[in-house]
Every structure is written in structure tokens, then in C-alpha cells.
Amino acid sequence: MIRFIILASFVILFLILSIPLLIAEWIIGKFNMDLKNRSSLAIVNWAFRGCLWVAGTKVIVRGEENVPKDQPVLYIGNHRSYFDILITYVRVPRPTGYIAKKEMLRYPLLVNWMKNLHCLFLDRKDVKQGLKTILTAIEEVKSGVSICIFPEGTRNKINHTFMEFHEGSFKIAAKTGCPIVPMTIYNSADIFEDHLPKIRPAAVILDYGKPIYIKELAKEDQKRVGAYTQNVIKETYFKIKEEAG
């Protein structure tokens, strides 16, 4: 519980003390949006790294050379923990927006930072609004911002299983031609979710697969890119599991 209390205190203090930074970022954005993007990325990266340090999380990164550095990408990953966002965000090399559930809009200050980072908010119960969110994400990629989605739609609460990857998420890559970067996250629930409400030190593996270009896939795979990408992540996940014993 001590780690949980310390981490919660760290987050609350950061959000409160960062109010002047939010004001400064708003002013910077009026004159230089690129500078705002880079400074917001650096600030939140620092905060997330602090959270992982407090939690005692060791992140082992594999295949980072597979992430294109010269263009925006669509990151796709499996999702077992709230910490998946922190684990993956501290590694992004360029401004990256995450697709989050609309319920996040209720948290002041946090939502301001999320908007600074080009995060988008999805209403999972409204198909029309969901489509608008995907269309906005397409425009973000066209403007040079990467997008990250956990296409299972919610956290999977059962260890070593996968829920269906929603195919609609992959329209972002289909419409922009950007590469899909599969991210396999292993053991992240061991930080928190597997023993709520305690936070415990854990080693997490983050594996980046080779980028997937939809146009290079077989026609059948192009029709079901979600299933294809899920198979790539599942195969890597169970290889890591076998290695871990």
C-alpha cells in the first residue's frame, strides 16, 4: 500500500504543480505548435518515468529498432494494465496521441495534459461518435502525429488471453498508409491489477514487432488486419511466456 500512496501523491502533486506549465504550454502553442508538442512530450515523459520509478517497474524493451523514426505510425498493443500507457508512452520518439475512453474527460488537469498530447476520446457506446474519433485520428496522422490504440477496447482482466481486436481501429492505417507497429506487452498486470490495491515491483517486457504495411499484405489479410496484427502479437506474447517459464 505504501507504493500506492506514494504514487497517488506523486500524481496529484504533479497535476497541481504543473498548472503553471499548462498555462505556459497554452501560450507556446499560440506561437509555435511544434515546440509545444515537443515540450509537452518531454514533460509528460518525465512524469511517467517518475511514476514507473516509484512503482518499482523495470521495463525491458525489445525490437525498438523496428519503430520508424521518420514518420507517424499506428501503435497497436494488447492491454492488461493501466500502466500500459506509461510503459509505452515513455518510449515514443515523436508526439503520439492515445485513443482513450471518453470517461477520462471527467478528470481535470489530467485531461488538459492528454489534450496537449493529441489524445482522443472514444465513446464506445456511440458508433457515430466512434467513427468521428477515428476520422480525427486519421487527420492527426496526416499532420505527423502518431496514434496508439489498444484495440481490445478495454483492459483484458484474464491473464494470458486476448480479446478480439476491433477492426475499425485499423482504418487509421488503411486511410493514411502509415505503418502499424505491433506492441507486445508482457507482465504489466503484475504491477497493480493482479493484486489490487497493492503496487509491487515488477519486470515488464515491451516488444516492438516489425512494422506492418497494409498494402503489402495478402488480400485476405488486408480484409482482417485486426486479426492479422493480433496473431503477430499473440505469437510474440507466448514466445515470451515460454522464455519466462
Side-chain angles (χ1 to χ4, degrees):
M1 282 297 292
I2 295 176
R3 285 183 186 272
F4 179 85
I5 294 169
I6 294 173
L7 181 58
S9 301
F10 177 85
V11 172
I12 292 169
L13 281 172
F14 168 77
L15 292 175
I16 294 172
L17 297 177
S18 69
I19 292 174
L21 290 176
L22 280 171
I23 296 171
E25 291 292 277
W26 178 79
I27 295 171
I28 292 170
K30 293 292 184 181
F31 301 97
N32 190 330
M33 185 56 69
D34 181 61
L35 177 59
K36 178 186 176 182
N37 286 339
R38 287 185 283 112
S39 58
S40 291
L41 173 65
I43 292 167
V44 174
N45 258 325
W46 175 86
F48 280 0
R49 288 179 187 277
C51 289
L52 292 171
W53 180 80
V54 170
T57 304
K58 178 183 179 181
V59 182
I60 301 166
V61 183
R62 301 178 178 180
E64 202 161 20
E65 68 279 1
N66 290 322
V67 181
K69 305 297 190 296
D70 58 349
Q71 61 179 314
V73 305
L74 175 64
Y75 294 102
I76 295 291
N78 58 306
H79 192 25
R80 280 277 290 123
S81 171
Y82 292 115
F83 280 84
D84 292 338
I85 292 94
L86 285 68
I87 290 163
T88 55
Y89 197 85
V90 297
R91 308 305 305 188
V92 298
R94 62 188 301 122
T96 301
Y98 280 54
I99 303 291
K101 56 185 180 182
K102 73 166 188 175
E103 287 78 6
M104 297 301 296
L105 291 166
R106 70 179 67 157
Y107 301 111
L109 300 180
L110 175 61
V111 72
N112 296 92
W113 279 112
M114 292 179 73
K115 289 179 177 179
N116 277 1
L117 300 172
H118 300 270
C119 292
L120 302 173
F121 303 91
L122 180 67
D123 185 344
R124 292 174 290 185
K125 297 179 181 178
D126 189 326
V127 176
K128 183 181 289 187
Q129 288 299 320
L131 178 58
K132 286 184 179 180
T133 301
I134 295 299
L135 292 175
T136 303
I138 289 170
E139 293 305 313
E140 290 282 9
V141 171
K142 288 180 178 178
S143 71
V145 176
S146 292
I147 293 292
C148 179
I149 297 180
F150 300 109
E152 288 169 292
T154 188
R155 286 183 303 109
N156 185 354
K157 298 178 182 180
I158 304 175
N159 265 327
H160 310 310
T161 65
F162 288 78
M163 296 186 293
E164 180 184 0
F165 279 20
H166 298 300
E167 294 288 341
S169 308
F170 295 85
K171 290 180 180 178
I172 299 168
K175 296 294 184 182
T176 63
C178 75
I180 298 167
V181 176
M183 302 185 301
T184 304
I185 305 167
Y186 184 83
N187 202 44
S188 59
D190 194 39
I191 303 170
F192 182 53
E193 284 77 8
D194 284 349
H195 37 71
L196 294 170
K198 296 180 180 179
I199 291 177
R200 293 176 177 170
V204 178
I205 295 175
L206 171 60
D207 187 293
Y208 293 99
K210 292 183 179 179
I212 300 168
Y213 295 88
I214 293 178
K215 290 184 178 179
E216 296 179 1
L217 298 177
K219 288 186 178 181
E220 192 61 34
D221 290 329
Q222 289 184 27
K223 295 176 182 177
R224 300 181 70 247
V225 185
Y228 179 89
T229 306
Q230 185 189 59
N231 285 335
V232 171
I233 293 173
K234 283 177 67 175
E235 183 178 334
T236 303
Y237 182 94
F238 287 109
K239 280 183 179 178
I240 295 172
K241 183 176 182 294
E242 186 177 349
E243 291 171 6

